[in-house]
Amino acid sequence: MSTNAAAYPVRPITKGETEDFYAQLNFAFHEEPPEEMQDLWLRLVSRERTVAAFDGDELIGTGGDIPFELTVPGGVTVPTAGVTMITVKATHRRRGILTGMMRHQMTGWHERGDAAVATLFSSEPAIYGRFGYGVGTHALALTIPRGGEGLSAVPGSDGFQMRMVDPRKAYDRCQAVFDAVRLGRPGMVARIGKGWGDVATLDNEFTRDDAGPLRCVVAEDAAGQVAGYARYQVEADFDNPARPDGKVQVREVHGRDLASYIAVWRFLTDIDLTLEVHAEVPTDDPLMFLLADPRQSVPRVEDVLYVRLVDVDRALAGRRYAAPVDVVFELADPFCPWNTGRWRLSGDADGAVCTPTTDPADLVLGPRELGTAYLGGLSLSALGRAGRVEELRPGALAAASRGFVSEVAPFAPFEF
């Protein structure tokens, strides 16, 4: 990679550069989304939170971030930057331009103190490891055959009234369910600011991707309150003369408790004129224990959310630990030099502190490993067995790993 990144200034865009910004974004992703989607993203990503690179007057790189509150182990949240819209013009690759934009973002978050953690969904994971991002959540991609008898009922799951509702009009009622459950699973985020209702219910030819209109079903309890919901589309298929082979494409499913969650899933897996349901769920989702034949769901593990600690002390002190932790780790972080050094982490289920120290190190690891272990889905011990964490004090790795693990598998339910 060339070292002449200084030749390509990096800064937020001005109002007059908005059209060039989105033209480069769409060109790089080989897409032509409708103008309404551009207007929508302008509401979510303010110009102040964009980043662009220039070759003279030519805009050659794009990026931005969305402020979130990320749920971390312990049912608490930390301020997080959701990185999005990252591109570099094909004619300007391997010139250090992406590195310049990444550094601009990291330094900005650190200096402003507005994000202890950064997250992103990676179209090409190999790119972001060199900037300290590690895969922090996984999902099970499922193909579930139709048939309500294939998914066991649970106590109370047959006591809800299922209703079809307008996705936009019912957004607030459904969002109340989302807000009630998001603190229970690491990786979920609070949708902050205006525009998220429009994102969640966006429905046009571009978002349909050959499927039908966006639908929303809710499970109402005896008091008429929404206890669970799903947003989905059906991809109709009548080519098979023996039977319709439609596919249910699930966007989002949540329930306040197991009964409401399963009530919605039993609806989704028994829709007329369909053959199967396609969805992504957490790796520990109850569905896997309630399907009569789990093998028929064809589960496939996928990497989802990538995590990077911007300020190691704030990020590690912001989460809780499943077992007491008292460990000194040595971190080399050339991309974020303020993180480089030795840190003592002491914490438990009630809170934690992370401070610089000169004490001897117990563990040696890098920012990518911390990002991978941060949400508790992948253990430090597993990283150690892979040679990614070095243990200097016997027993320190196992003890730290027990503290970092999350009882609930992390999951990121929607992309940004």
Side-chain angles (χ1 to χ4, degrees):
M1 182 179 65
S2 173
T3 58
N4 63 343
Y8 306 103
V10 173
R11 59 170 173 78
I13 61 171
T14 65
K15 184 176 182 179
E17 293 163 338
T18 302
E19 184 174 343
D20 289 344
F21 183 92
Y22 279 94
Q24 159 58 22
L25 178 67
N26 297 338
F27 185 86
F29 280 102
H30 314 295
E31 296 177 332
E32 294 185 15
E35 188 173 339
E36 68 170 312
M37 295 182 67
Q38 175 177 314
D39 295 339
L40 180 56
W41 281 102
L42 279 173
R43 281 188 278 159
L44 296 178
V45 184
S46 65
R47 285 196 303 276
E48 293 75 17
R49 298 191 78 100
T50 60
V51 56
F54 294 85
D55 183 358
D57 294 331
E58 182 183 6
L59 193 152
I60 56 171
T62 67
D65 73 273
I66 304 170
F68 287 121
E69 290 291 330
L70 174 71
T71 300
V72 296
V76 293
T77 64
V78 297
T80 299
V83 178
T84 186
M85 303 189 296
I86 298 293
T87 74
V88 173
K89 186 166 283 190
T91 54
H92 287 70
R93 297 172 62 219
R94 297 185 175 89
R95 303 188 191 184
I97 293 166
L98 179 57
T99 299
M101 293 194 297
M102 292 277 107
R103 182 167 284 117
H104 177 90
Q105 286 188 319
M106 294 285 183
T107 302
W109 299 324
H110 170 67
E111 292 179 347
R112 294 190 302 268
D114 57 5
V117 177
T119 60
L120 57 80
F121 292 86
S122 177
S123 54
E124 295 184 274
I127 292 175
Y128 295 98
R130 67 179 188 263
F131 303 122
Y133 285 91
V135 58
T137 76
H138 289 84
L140 290 181
L142 303 181
T143 300
I144 306 172
R146 181 192 171 191
E149 68 280 358
L151 178 59
S152 299
V154 299
S157 62
D158 292 330
F160 296 93
Q161 175 65 54
M162 307 304 295
R163 296 189 189 280
M164 299 302 303
V165 295
D166 181 280
R168 287 184 181 270
K169 292 180 180 178
Y171 174 77
D172 288 342
R173 298 175 71 201
C174 294
Q175 184 62 17
V177 175
F178 180 90
D179 285 337
V181 303
R182 66 177 174 82
L183 291 179
R185 189 174 291 276
M188 296 184 69
V189 298
R191 291 162 165 149
I192 300 172
K194 299 178 180 179
W196 281 112
D198 293 331
V199 170
T201 60
L202 197 59
D203 185 25
N204 54 43
E205 292 301 318
F206 182 82
T207 60
R208 289 180 185 179
D209 193 24
D210 297 328
L214 181 67
R215 309 292 189 192
C216 183
V217 63
V218 298
E220 291 183 346
D221 61 21
Q225 299 297 309
V226 173
Y229 72 93
R231 299 190 189 98
Y232 68 95
Q233 299 164 269
V234 175
E235 183 179 341
D237 186 348
F238 295 97
D239 291 341
N240 186 342
R243 62 180 182 186
D245 288 344
K247 300 175 180 61
V248 180
Q249 307 286 358
V250 177
R251 280 201 196 179
E252 192 171 338
V253 186
H254 295 290
R256 289 183 181 270
D257 53 22
L258 179 61
S260 56
Y261 185 66
I262 296 304
V264 176
W265 271 111
R266 283 171 64 83
F267 173 90
L268 293 171
T269 55
D270 201 21
I271 294 176
D272 289 341
L273 308 181
T274 66
L275 179 68
E276 58 193 25
V277 180
H278 294 241
E280 289 188 355
V281 301
T283 56
D284 63 350
D285 196 278
L287 284 178
M288 300 308 297
F289 307 101
L290 295 172
L291 288 167
D293 186 353
R295 192 176 297 174
Q296 287 191 352
S297 65
V298 197
R300 184 180 72 254
V301 177
E302 296 183 343
D303 56 296
V304 183
L305 190 71
Y306 283 71
V307 178
R308 211 283 186 205
L309 306 194
V310 177
D311 291 322
V312 165
D313 53 347
R314 294 173 59 212
L316 292 180
R319 57 156 290 175
R320 304 295 181 259
Y321 297 86
V325 174
D326 186 12
V327 64
V328 175
F329 61 90
E330 187 168 325
L331 176 66
D333 191 353
F335 201 73
C336 295
W338 54 86
N339 288 329
T340 293
R342 292 179 189 170
W343 300 87
R344 178 176 289 279
L345 171 64
S346 300
D348 54 25
D350 296 323
V353 293
C354 184
T355 56
T357 184
T358 57
D359 292 344
D362 301 318
L363 303 175
V364 179
L365 72 171
R368 188 176 179 184
E369 289 69 47
L370 275 178
T372 297
Y374 183 64
L375 294 177
L378 291 168
S379 74
L380 284 171
S381 290
L383 291 168
R385 290 192 294 272
R388 299 273 297 276
V389 179
E390 181 183 2
E391 183 181 58
L392 302 181
R393 177 173 61 83
L397 180 57
S401 187
R402 287 192 293 270
F404 267 78
V405 73
S406 172
E407 183 179 351
V408 179
F411 180 63
F414 65 92
E415 293 190 18
F416 45 82

Coordinates of all heavy atoms in Angstrom, one line a residue, residues 120-121 125 134-142 185-188 279-285 299-307 368 371-379 382-383 388 408-414:
L120 N -19.5 -2.5 12.9 CA -19.8 -2.5 11.5 C -20.2 -3.8 11.0 O -19.9 -4.9 11.6 CB -18.7 -1.9 10.6 CG -17.3 -2.6 10.7 CD1 -17.2 -3.8 9.8 CD2 -16.2 -1.6 10.2
F121 N -21.0 -3.8 9.8 CA -21.3 -5.1 9.1 C -20.3 -5.1 7.9 O -20.3 -4.1 7.1 CB -22.7 -5.1 8.6 CG -23.7 -5.2 9.7 CD1 -24.1 -4.1 10.4 CD2 -24.2 -6.4 10.1 CE1 -25.0 -4.2 11.5 CE2 -25.1 -6.6 11.2 CZ -25.5 -5.4 11.8
P125 N -14.7 -9.1 5.2 CA -14.1 -9.1 6.5 C -12.6 -8.9 6.5 O -12.1 -8.4 7.5 CB -14.6 -10.5 7.1 CG -15.8 -10.8 6.3 CD -15.6 -10.3 4.9
G134 N -12.9 -7.1 15.1 CA -13.0 -8.6 15.2 C -14.5 -9.0 15.2 O -15.4 -8.2 15.7
V135 N -14.8 -10.2 14.7 CA -16.2 -10.6 14.6 C -16.7 -10.8 16.0 O -16.2 -11.6 16.8 CB -16.4 -11.8 13.7 CG1 -15.5 -13.0 14.2 CG2 -17.8 -12.2 13.6
G136 N -17.8 -10.1 16.3 CA -18.3 -10.1 17.7 C -19.6 -10.8 17.9 O -20.0 -11.2 19.0
T137 N -20.4 -11.0 16.8 CA -21.6 -11.7 16.8 C -21.7 -12.7 15.6 O -21.2 -12.4 14.6 CB -22.9 -10.8 16.9 OG1 -23.1 -10.3 15.5 CG2 -22.7 -9.7 17.8
H138 N -22.4 -13.8 15.9 CA -22.8 -14.7 14.8 C -24.3 -14.9 14.8 O -25.0 -14.5 15.7 CB -22.1 -16.1 15.0 CG -20.6 -16.1 14.8 ND1 -19.7 -15.7 15.7 CD2 -19.9 -16.3 13.7 CE1 -18.5 -15.7 15.2 NE2 -18.5 -16.2 14.0
A139 N -24.8 -15.5 13.7 CA -26.2 -15.8 13.6 C -26.3 -17.1 12.9 O -25.4 -17.6 12.2 CB -26.9 -14.7 12.8
L140 N -27.5 -17.8 13.2 CA -27.8 -19.0 12.5 C -28.8 -18.6 11.3 O -29.8 -18.0 11.6 CB -28.6 -20.0 13.4 CG -27.7 -20.6 14.4 CD1 -28.6 -21.6 15.2 CD2 -26.6 -21.4 13.8
A141 N -28.4 -18.8 10.1 CA -29.3 -18.6 9.0 C -30.0 -19.9 8.8 O -29.5 -21.0 8.6 CB -28.4 -18.3 7.7
L142 N -31.4 -19.8 8.9 CA -32.2 -21.0 8.9 C -33.1 -21.0 7.7 O -33.6 -20.0 7.2 CB -33.1 -21.0 10.1 CG -32.4 -21.0 11.5 CD1 -33.5 -21.1 12.6 CD2 -31.4 -22.2 11.6
R185 N -30.1 -8.9 25.4 CA -29.2 -9.7 24.5 C -28.1 -8.7 24.0 O -28.3 -7.7 23.4 CB -29.9 -10.3 23.3 CG -29.0 -11.2 22.5 CD -29.8 -11.9 21.4 NE -30.8 -12.9 21.9 CZ -30.5 -14.1 22.2 NH1 -29.2 -14.5 22.2 NH2 -31.4 -14.9 22.7
P186 N -26.8 -9.0 24.4 CA -25.7 -8.2 23.8 C -25.7 -8.2 22.3 O -26.1 -9.1 21.6 CB -24.4 -9.0 24.3 CG -24.9 -9.7 25.5 CD -26.3 -10.1 25.2
G187 N -25.3 -7.0 21.8 CA -25.3 -6.9 20.3 C -26.5 -6.1 19.8 O -26.4 -5.5 18.7
M188 N -27.5 -6.0 20.6 CA -28.7 -5.2 20.1 C -28.5 -3.8 20.5 O -27.7 -3.4 21.4 CB -30.0 -5.8 20.8 CG -30.3 -7.2 20.4 SD -31.9 -7.8 21.0 CE -33.1 -6.8 20.1
A279 N -34.7 -17.1 7.6 CA -34.5 -16.1 8.7 C -33.1 -16.3 9.3 O -32.5 -17.3 9.1 CB -35.6 -16.3 9.8
E280 N -32.7 -15.3 10.0 CA -31.5 -15.3 10.8 C -31.9 -15.1 12.3 O -32.6 -14.2 12.6 CB -30.5 -14.2 10.4 CG -29.9 -14.5 9.0 CD -28.7 -13.5 8.7 OE1 -28.5 -12.6 9.5 OE2 -28.1 -13.7 7.7
V281 N -31.3 -16.0 13.1 CA -31.7 -16.0 14.6 C -30.4 -16.1 15.4 O -29.3 -16.5 14.8 CB -32.6 -17.1 14.9 CG1 -33.9 -17.0 14.1 CG2 -32.0 -18.5 14.7
P282 N -30.4 -15.8 16.7 CA -29.2 -16.0 17.5 C -28.8 -17.4 17.5 O -29.6 -18.4 17.3 CB -29.7 -15.5 18.9 CG -30.9 -14.6 18.6 CD -31.5 -15.2 17.4
T283 N -27.5 -17.7 17.8 CA -27.0 -19.0 17.8 C -27.6 -19.9 18.9 O -27.6 -21.1 18.9 CB -25.5 -19.0 17.9 OG1 -25.1 -18.3 19.1 CG2 -24.9 -18.4 16.7
D284 N -28.2 -19.3 20.0 CA -28.8 -20.0 21.1 C -30.3 -19.8 21.0 O -31.0 -19.9 22.1 CB -28.3 -19.6 22.4 CG -28.5 -18.1 22.7 OD1 -29.0 -17.4 21.8 OD2 -28.3 -17.7 23.9
D285 N -30.9 -19.6 19.9 CA -32.3 -19.3 19.8 C -33.2 -20.5 20.2 O -32.9 -21.6 19.9 CB -32.7 -18.9 18.3 CG -34.0 -18.2 18.2 OD1 -35.1 -19.0 18.2 OD2 -34.1 -17.0 18.2
P299 N -29.3 -25.3 9.5 CA -28.7 -24.1 10.1 C -27.3 -23.9 9.5 O -26.5 -24.8 9.3 CB -28.6 -24.5 11.6 CG -28.6 -26.0 11.6 CD -29.5 -26.4 10.5
R300 N -27.0 -22.6 9.3 CA -25.7 -22.2 8.8 C -25.2 -21.0 9.6 O -25.9 -20.0 9.7 CB -25.8 -21.8 7.3 CG -24.4 -21.5 6.7 CD -24.6 -21.1 5.2 NE -25.2 -19.8 5.0 CZ -26.4 -19.6 4.6 NH1 -27.2 -20.6 4.3 NH2 -26.9 -18.3 4.5
V301 N -24.0 -21.2 10.2 CA -23.5 -20.1 11.0 C -22.9 -19.0 10.1 O -22.1 -19.3 9.2 CB -22.4 -20.6 12.0 CG1 -21.8 -19.5 12.8 CG2 -23.0 -21.7 12.9
E302 N -23.2 -17.8 10.4 CA -22.7 -16.6 9.7 C -22.1 -15.6 10.6 O -22.6 -15.4 11.7 CB -23.8 -16.0 8.8 CG -24.4 -16.9 7.8 CD -25.5 -16.1 6.9 OE1 -26.0 -15.1 7.4 OE2 -25.8 -16.6 5.8
D303 N -21.0 -15.0 10.2 CA -20.5 -13.8 11.0 C -21.3 -12.6 10.7 O -21.8 -12.4 9.5 CB -19.0 -13.6 10.6 CG -18.8 -13.4 9.1 OD1 -19.1 -14.3 8.3 OD2 -18.4 -12.2 8.7
V304 N -21.5 -11.8 11.7 CA -22.5 -10.7 11.5 C -21.8 -9.4 11.9 O -21.3 -8.6 11.0 CB -23.8 -10.9 12.3 CG1 -24.8 -9.8 12.0 CG2 -24.4 -12.3 11.9
L305 N -21.8 -9.0 13.1 CA -21.4 -7.7 13.6 C -19.9 -7.8 14.0 O -19.5 -8.6 14.7 CB -22.2 -7.3 14.8 CG -22.0 -5.8 15.2 CD1 -22.6 -4.9 14.2 CD2 -22.6 -5.6 16.6
Y306 N -19.1 -6.8 13.5 CA -17.7 -6.7 13.8 C -17.6 -5.5 14.8 O -18.2 -4.5 14.7 CB -16.9 -6.4 12.5 CG -16.7 -7.7 11.7 CD1 -17.8 -8.3 11.1 CD2 -15.5 -8.3 11.7 CE1 -17.6 -9.5 10.4 CE2 -15.3 -9.5 11.0 CZ -16.3 -10.1 10.3 OH -16.2 -11.3 9.7
V307 N -16.7 -5.8 15.8 CA -16.6 -4.9 16.9 C -15.1 -4.4 17.1 O -14.2 -5.2 16.9 CB -17.0 -5.6 18.2 CG1 -16.9 -4.7 19.5 CG2 -18.5 -6.1 18.1
R368 N -8.0 -6.6 17.9 CA -8.9 -7.5 17.2 C -9.5 -8.6 18.1 O -10.7 -8.9 18.1 CB -8.2 -8.1 16.0 CG -9.1 -8.9 15.1 CD -8.4 -9.4 13.8 NE -9.2 -10.2 13.0 CZ -8.7 -10.8 11.9 NH1 -7.4 -10.7 11.5 NH2 -9.5 -11.5 11.1
G371 N -12.0 -7.1 20.5 CA -13.3 -6.9 19.8 C -14.0 -8.2 19.7 O -15.3 -8.2 19.8
T372 N -13.3 -9.2 19.4 CA -14.0 -10.5 19.2 C -14.6 -11.0 20.5 O -15.7 -11.6 20.5 CB -13.0 -11.6 18.7 OG1 -12.5 -11.2 17.4 CG2 -13.6 -13.0 18.6
A373 N -13.9 -10.8 21.6 CA -14.4 -11.3 22.9 C -15.3 -10.4 23.6 O -16.0 -10.8 24.6 CB -13.2 -11.6 23.8
Y374 N -15.4 -9.2 23.2 CA -16.1 -8.1 24.0 C -17.5 -8.4 24.3 O -18.0 -8.2 25.5 CB -16.0 -6.8 23.2 CG -16.6 -5.6 24.0 CD1 -16.0 -5.2 25.2 CD2 -17.7 -4.9 23.5 CE1 -16.5 -4.1 25.9 CE2 -18.2 -3.9 24.3 CZ -17.6 -3.5 25.4 OH -18.2 -2.4 26.2
L375 N -18.3 -8.9 23.4 CA -19.7 -9.1 23.6 C -20.0 -10.5 24.2 O -21.2 -10.8 24.5 CB -20.5 -9.0 22.3 CG -20.6 -7.6 21.8 CD1 -21.3 -7.5 20.4 CD2 -21.2 -6.6 22.7
G376 N -19.0 -11.3 24.4 CA -19.1 -12.5 25.2 C -19.5 -13.7 24.4 O -19.8 -14.8 25.0
G377 N -19.6 -13.7 23.1 CA -20.0 -14.8 22.3 C -18.9 -15.8 22.0 O -19.2 -17.0 21.8
L378 N -17.7 -15.3 21.9 CA -16.5 -16.1 21.6 C -15.6 -15.9 22.7 O -15.3 -14.8 23.2 CB -15.9 -15.7 20.3 CG -16.7 -16.0 19.0 CD1 -16.1 -15.3 17.8 CD2 -16.8 -17.5 18.8
S379 N -15.0 -17.0 23.2 CA -14.3 -17.0 24.5 C -12.8 -16.6 24.2 O -12.2 -16.9 23.2 CB -14.3 -18.3 25.2 OG -13.5 -19.3 24.5
A382 N -10.8 -19.8 23.7 CA -10.8 -20.2 22.3 C -9.7 -19.5 21.5 O -9.0 -20.0 20.6 CB -12.2 -20.1 21.7
L383 N -9.7 -18.2 21.7 CA -8.7 -17.4 21.0 C -7.3 -17.8 21.4 O -6.3 -17.8 20.6 CB -8.9 -15.9 21.3 CG -10.2 -15.3 20.7 CD1 -10.5 -13.9 21.2 CD2 -10.1 -15.2 19.1
R388 N -4.0 -16.7 19.4 CA -4.3 -15.3 19.3 C -4.2 -14.5 20.6 O -4.2 -13.3 20.6 CB -5.7 -15.1 18.7 CG -6.0 -15.7 17.4 CD -5.6 -14.7 16.3 NE -6.5 -13.6 16.3 CZ -7.7 -13.5 15.7 NH1 -8.2 -14.5 15.1 NH2 -8.4 -12.4 15.8
V408 N -26.0 -15.2 27.5 CA -26.9 -15.1 26.3 C -26.0 -14.8 25.1 O -25.2 -13.8 25.1 CB -28.0 -14.0 26.5 CG1 -28.9 -13.9 25.3 CG2 -28.8 -14.3 27.8
A409 N -26.2 -15.5 24.0 CA -25.4 -15.3 22.8 C -25.7 -13.9 22.2 O -26.8 -13.5 22.1 CB -25.7 -16.4 21.8
P410 N -24.6 -13.2 21.9 CA -24.9 -11.8 21.3 C -25.5 -12.0 19.9 O -25.3 -13.0 19.2 CB -23.5 -11.2 21.2 CG -22.5 -12.4 21.2 CD -23.2 -13.4 22.0
F411 N -26.2 -11.0 19.5 CA -27.0 -11.0 18.2 C -27.2 -9.6 17.8 O -27.6 -8.8 18.6 CB -28.3 -11.8 18.4 CG -29.1 -11.9 17.1 CD1 -28.6 -12.6 16.0 CD2 -30.4 -11.3 17.1 CE1 -29.4 -12.7 14.9 CE2 -31.1 -11.5 15.9 CZ -30.7 -12.1 14.8
A412 N -27.0 -9.4 16.5 CA -27.3 -8.1 15.9 C -28.5 -8.3 14.9 O -28.3 -8.8 13.8 CB -26.1 -7.5 15.2
P413 N -29.7 -7.8 15.3 CA -30.9 -8.2 14.5 C -31.2 -7.4 13.2 O -32.0 -7.8 12.4 CB -32.0 -8.0 15.5 CG -31.5 -6.9 16.4 CD -30.1 -7.1 16.5
F414 N -30.5 -6.3 13.0 CA -30.7 -5.5 11.8 C -29.4 -4.8 11.4 O -28.6 -4.5 12.2 CB -31.8 -4.5 11.9 CG -31.6 -3.4 12.9 CD1 -31.0 -2.2 12.5 CD2 -31.9 -3.6 14.2 CE1 -30.8 -1.2 13.4 CE2 -31.7 -2.6 15.1 CZ -31.1 -1.4 14.7

